[in-house]
Amino acid sequence: MLVEQTPLGASWSARAAKEASRQHPLSPLSSTEIRATGELIKGIYLQGTGLLYKQITLREPDKAYLAPWLDAKFDGKPVQPLDRKADVSYYIRNTDKFFEAVVDLKRQHVESNVRLGANKHGNGDGEEIVMIEKIALENDGVRAEIAKLQLPEGTVIICDPWIYGSDGIYDDRRLYQCFMYMRDPTNSSHADSNHYALPLPISPVIDTENYTVTRIDIMPTGTDHTIKPITPYKIQPPNEYTSEHQDLRTDVKPLHVVQPEGPSFHVTSAGESGEYIAWQKWTFFIGFNAREGMVLYDIRYAGRPLFHRLSLSDMSIPYADPRHPFHKKQAFDLGDAGAGGMANNLSLGCDCLGSIHYLSAVLADPSGDPLPMPNVICVHEQDAGIGWKHTNYRTGRAAVVRNRELVVQSIITVSNYEYILAFNFNQAAGIEYEVRATGILSTQPIDEDTSVPWGTVVHPGVLATHHQHIFSLRVDPMLDGHANRLVYEEAHAMPRDDFNPHGVGYSTRETLVERSTGLDLDTQANRVFKIQNVDSRNSVNGMPVAYKIHAPDFQKILADKDSFHFKRAAFADHNIYVTPHRDGELFSAGRYTNQSRGDDDGVRLWAKRDEDVVDRDVVVWVQFGINHIPRVEDFPVMPVEIVKVGLKPVNFFERNPAIDVPPSRQEVNQSTEVSVRHGQPPVQGEAVVGRDGCCGSKL
């Protein structure tokens, strides 16, 4: 029951309002602001009403106000504080009543509070997942099914709760599908035992309204949909990944990353967790939220504006097994769980090497209290090989520059999988977004001496199903201003004619994208997408300044277009989407992905508005991915699979932006053996124009 809102306790109210008046508008919510937000929401209900908070996060200011504020701030002009607001999603505990609210932190009141309709569900969170595990493992029906396996006494059972997915069959309520495993029964006390090597055919379903087991699925383990009765489990040998179970190599020598004068970047705090970074002509602001994790804002190079906002918008991982209950298996790791909430506490010397700066964050726990998240982002420099080089073969002199990169990295663990996510900035004004996928395959049981075409047997009795990892990077450009356009350039052979008699010529053609839409790469035409500002021209050739998108092509989502997999992954069918900017349109699969239907939100729907995108404030959504056909070599833990998207200047500068990087020198690098001279001996002569004829020689 709602009641009239009463003033918040003076201490939290005063502190939160004071912070709101002095915070950077993009600084993540502080501990005080999170606590005040939770209390304000509680204040609109009768005392004792239990609330389950799913997210309390910064509501970014409207871009119409934020963009000029950032420009003025960068130019050193005085700025007035922008209103601080919080986006909140929460349940009334033990009900299906799910709300979306906005809290004005400056004025200390709930600006809006709306109950959401059917098929809108909140994300999972760590506290809830632990509770789901406990409910499944303590359920009498589940224990009865486990007993039929006749496992050795003392065997430890493990439960992996998964977001339920969607198939339109009795799935309107928020549910979890749990997959069951066991530890190596010969070493049950080993808490890090690889239980994915011992999957069980039992899968309970849990309703989150009353947190009870509503169904126990028995999974197919053969080559068809047949469900077999539970029989005694044949225990296979373990397959561990931890170092104490390996015969470790002894010939790996230490490799130290040393910066005796410290790093070349500078950090300026802006709030409890937001920070400005300045490095090698780059400046940008780092934020962090529960869903996207790290977000970069106001990215400039040598003072010129490039990108207003960069973030990983979402990812979809659809699985290929067509049988129940696996046919619903589709994760949205950002929308269903959250890159912020699942971020690792990064360790010095393990996750990041060299001179490291860590950023910590504060999120909200399910009770609406601050949840400290230490060391969720690491910032460091790395040597990325040669940046540019030329050797004058006539003199033997080599001009060579190393390519140093600034790495802004976060690592998330979503149950079995890890994703190492990094923005890499280089000295030639380029940015790469890099994803490294690792962790452990999500496995299921399979009968001995059986194989299926939708997965790979990676261990006796263990099937790893084929699946896709499809990522969506949200690029909000501001190339010399916010009026930008998207074009694509292709290379085509010239016709053989009098001008091209040998048939070797080819030229490029540029096509303007005029309306919001989805588009694809064409490798045969070398199609390259570019973001341009036609009102800013290169002084050398008069071309519009631009940044091109280097994105590897990938196999688009394979699920049928009428399937829930396809509908829900609203970004997974095109390499590129372009839409006009609208405040709040941040997530390419829609705001609520948990058991979503894919029919009322997301970039595919936004693009269908068929809006003008020429010389406007546009957003470009870049999709990339991996079709993971598992190998035995991916088990028990997967070597990293690396995929990158690059943003690279085209006619933006007058020359190579890295031309002024100091040359690579041994007295600085202090390598043990190096030669900067070309192996070819110098030529003992040169041609001089006007001496001994047009090209006389001194030989």
Side-chain angles (χ1 to χ4, degrees):
M1 175 180 177
L2 295 177
V3 298
E4 183 178 348
Q5 189 173 344
T6 55
L8 183 63
S11 59
W12 290 120
S13 177
R15 288 175 61 185
K18 186 177 180 180
E19 285 193 9
S21 68
R22 68 187 186 206
Q23 288 270 40
H24 188 290
L26 293 172
S27 290
L29 295 182
S30 67
S31 298
T32 301
E33 290 174 317
I34 289 170
R35 187 174 281 113
T37 299
E39 292 298 326
L40 281 165
I41 296 294
K42 290 176 185 176
I44 64 177
Y45 291 94
L46 290 174
Q47 188 173 4
T49 303
L51 301 182
L52 173 64
Y53 291 96
K54 284 301 179 181
Q55 290 201 9
I56 299 177
T57 192
L58 175 71
R59 183 181 182 88
E60 295 175 12
D62 289 351
K63 196 174 180 182
Y65 302 105
L66 177 61
W69 191 98
L70 292 170
D71 286 339
K73 178 75 171 175
F74 182 82
D75 292 337
K77 298 177 182 178
V79 292
Q80 295 298 316
L82 297 181
D83 288 353
R84 298 271 292 175
K85 297 183 181 182
D87 275 329
V88 188
S89 59
Y90 68 96
Y91 285 93
I92 297 178
R93 285 188 182 268
N94 302 118
T95 75
D96 64 351
K97 296 176 181 178
F98 185 44
F99 292 83
E100 181 180 280
V102 177
V103 171
D104 187 322
L105 289 161
K106 179 181 178 181
R107 296 166 184 82
Q108 289 294 294
H109 77 95
V110 178
E111 187 175 281
S112 66
N113 185 50
V114 178
R115 182 180 174 183
L116 300 176
N119 304 124
K120 300 294 183 188
H121 300 293
N123 54 281
D125 60 73
E127 180 180 300
E128 182 176 72
I129 288 169
V130 170
M131 180 171 60
I132 294 293
E133 291 182 24
K134 187 173 185 291
I135 291 167
L137 294 172
E138 293 180 354
N139 178 264
D140 289 340
V142 174
R143 289 185 168 186
E145 295 297 334
I146 291 173
K148 297 176 185 178
L149 298 171
Q150 298 181 19
L151 302 175
E153 185 176 351
T155 297
V156 175
I157 306 299
I158 304 295
C159 171
D160 266 19
W162 270 65
I163 295 295
Y164 187 76
S166 299
D167 64 0
I169 303 172
Y170 304 117
D171 61 351
D172 291 326
R173 296 166 71 94
R174 190 166 70 95
L175 306 169
Y176 278 91
Q177 184 93 43
C178 298
F179 298 106
M180 311 292 284
Y181 306 87
M182 59 183 279
R183 289 185 194 163
D184 173 16
T186 66
N187 190 15
S188 288
S189 62
H190 179 48
D192 292 309
S193 175
N194 179 20
H195 54 270
Y196 297 105
L198 295 163
L200 306 179
I202 300 162
S203 180
V205 174
I206 294 177
D207 187 310
T208 60
E209 186 174 325
N210 49 27
Y211 290 103
T212 58
V213 175
T214 62
R215 188 177 80 236
I216 301 173
D217 291 333
I218 306 302
M219 301 187 294
T221 57
T223 60
D224 55 24
H225 293 266
T226 302
I227 304 299
K228 302 169 186 174
I230 299 292
T231 58
Y233 187 83
K234 180 178 179 180
I235 297 173
Q236 302 289 352
N239 197 337
E240 306 291 6
Y241 63 90
T242 46
S243 60
E244 61 269 28
H245 292 92
Q246 317 305 325
D247 184 11
L248 297 177
R249 304 179 189 192
T250 59
D251 59 349
V252 180
K253 306 296 184 182
L255 191 159
H256 296 157
V257 178
V258 179
Q259 293 181 273
E261 299 179 13
S264 301
F265 58 83
H266 302 277
V267 180
T268 304
S269 295
E272 190 171 350
S273 53
E275 294 189 344
Y276 275 107
I277 302 289
W279 176 82
Q280 296 288 294
K281 302 185 182 181
W282 289 101
T283 57
F284 54 91
F285 186 86
I286 304 180
F288 191 88
N289 63 57
R291 177 161 179 162
E292 298 163 290
M294 60 181 177
V295 182
L296 305 188
Y297 304 91
D298 197 29
I299 302 162
R300 301 170 188 253
Y301 187 88
R304 294 176 68 179
L306 298 181
F307 301 100
H308 176 75
R309 191 183 194 276
L310 292 177
S311 69
L312 183 64
S313 178
D314 216 323
M315 67 174 88
S316 179
I317 304 94
Y319 281 73
D321 193 333
R323 304 169 300 172
H324 179 86
F326 306 115
H327 70 289
K328 298 184 283 75
K329 198 172 180 182
Q330 180 184 26
F332 291 83
D333 285 345
L334 273 65
D336 291 351
M342 301 296 155
N344 289 190
N345 181 342
L346 303 176
S347 300
L348 196 66
C350 298
D351 300 305
C352 315
L353 298 180
S355 298
I356 309 301
H357 173 71
Y358 290 108
L359 283 76
S360 297
V362 181
L363 302 179
D365 71 12
S367 298
D369 294 321
L371 176 67
M373 299 287 292
N375 297 354
V376 289
I377 299 174
C378 67
V379 181
H380 63 99
E381 294 174 285
Q382 69 182 14
D383 182 278
I386 291 175
W388 61 262
K389 179 177 180 176
H390 177 67
T391 298
N392 185 337
Y393 75 87
R394 294 172 179 83
T395 66
R397 178 178 175 178
V400 59
V401 162
R402 302 295 299 178
N403 178 26
R404 187 179 300 192
E405 292 181 338
L406 182 74
V407 180
V408 182
Q409 176 179 284
S410 187
I411 302 176
I412 66 173
T413 298
V414 189
S415 191
N416 55 297
Y417 249 106
E418 267 79 15
Y419 297 96
I420 303 160
L421 310 171
F423 289 98
N424 300 328
F425 295 81
N426 66 42
Q427 294 162 304
I431 305 172
E432 278 190 340
Y433 185 74
E434 178 184 276
V435 175
R436 294 177 177 236
T438 181
I440 302 178
L441 296 161
S442 179
T443 61
Q444 62 197 63
I446 189 170
D447 297 339
E448 282 193 282
D449 302 320
T450 300
S451 63
V452 292
W454 55 80
T456 304
V457 175
V458 295
H459 186 68
V462 179
L463 179 68
T465 301
H466 304 336
H467 55 282
Q468 295 177 271
H469 300 260
I470 304 173
F471 305 90
S472 181
L473 183 70
R474 185 180 184 274
V475 178
D476 187 344
M478 56 173 188
L479 302 184
D480 280 349
H482 292 274
N484 293 168
R485 58 170 59 181
L486 182 71
V487 302
Y488 59 86
E489 181 183 79
E490 297 178 340
H492 294 279
M494 295 178 181
R496 184 186 286 268
D497 54 20
D498 291 342
F499 182 76
N500 180 33
H502 302 288
V504 298
Y506 69 91
S507 60
T508 57
R509 304 173 195 165
E510 191 171 276
T511 301
L512 173 65
V513 180
E514 300 185 49
R515 314 295 295 180
S516 58
T517 189
L519 300 149
D520 290 310
L521 292 169
D522 181 351
T523 56
Q524 292 305 306
N526 194 52
R527 182 178 292 172
V528 176
F529 289 91
K530 296 187 292 185
I531 304 166
Q532 292 180 338
N533 184 341
V534 295
D535 293 325
S536 181
R537 298 278 173 166
N538 187 282
S539 63
V540 176
N541 59 19
M543 299 292 289
V545 300
Y547 261 67
K548 66 178 177 179
I549 300 166
H550 270 189
D553 205 355
F554 70 100
Q555 190 170 26
K556 312 308 181 291
I557 186 168
L558 286 164
D560 184 277
K561 288 188 176 182
D562 291 326
S563 69
F564 280 102
H565 274 15
F566 181 92
K567 293 176 183 177
R568 299 176 68 214
F571 53 87
D573 55 336
H574 288 293
N575 295 97
I576 298 286
Y577 272 100
V578 58
T579 60
H581 173 272
R582 289 195 182 186
D583 293 318
E585 290 186 350
L586 298 174
F587 312 123
S588 53
R591 186 176 179 87
Y592 300 104
T593 60
N594 187 359
Q595 293 176 236
S596 61
R597 294 299 190 260
D599 55 359
D600 64 351
D601 204 1
V603 70
R604 187 185 296 134
L605 190 68
W606 305 335
K608 288 181 180 179
R609 294 190 296 238
D610 189 34
E611 295 174 293
D612 180 17
V613 291
V614 178
D615 303 333
R616 296 188 58 186
D617 187 2
V618 297
V619 176
V620 180
W621 312 77
V622 183
Q623 282 63 245
F624 57 104
I626 304 164
N627 190 346
H628 191 179
I629 310 301
R631 312 168 297 155
V632 172
E633 292 87 350
D634 290 331
F635 203 67
V637 67
M638 173 183 160
V640 293
E641 288 276 350
I642 303 173
V643 60
K644 301 179 182 182
V645 171
L647 300 169
K648 194 170 185 178
V650 178
N651 301 316
F652 200 88
F653 301 96
E654 278 63 49
R655 62 206 306 234
N656 177 358
I659 197 72
D660 58 352
V661 176
S664 181
R665 294 181 291 118
Q666 168 61 2
E667 55 266 35
V668 174
N669 296 334
Q670 297 186 13
S671 299
T672 56
E673 181 178 358
V674 69
S675 174
V676 297
R677 291 184 63 85
H678 195 285
Q680 181 176 342
V683 176
Q684 301 301 312
E686 60 185 17
V688 180
V689 176
R691 181 182 299 168
D692 298 327
C694 181
C695 290
S697 174
K698 294 198 303 185
L699 289 176

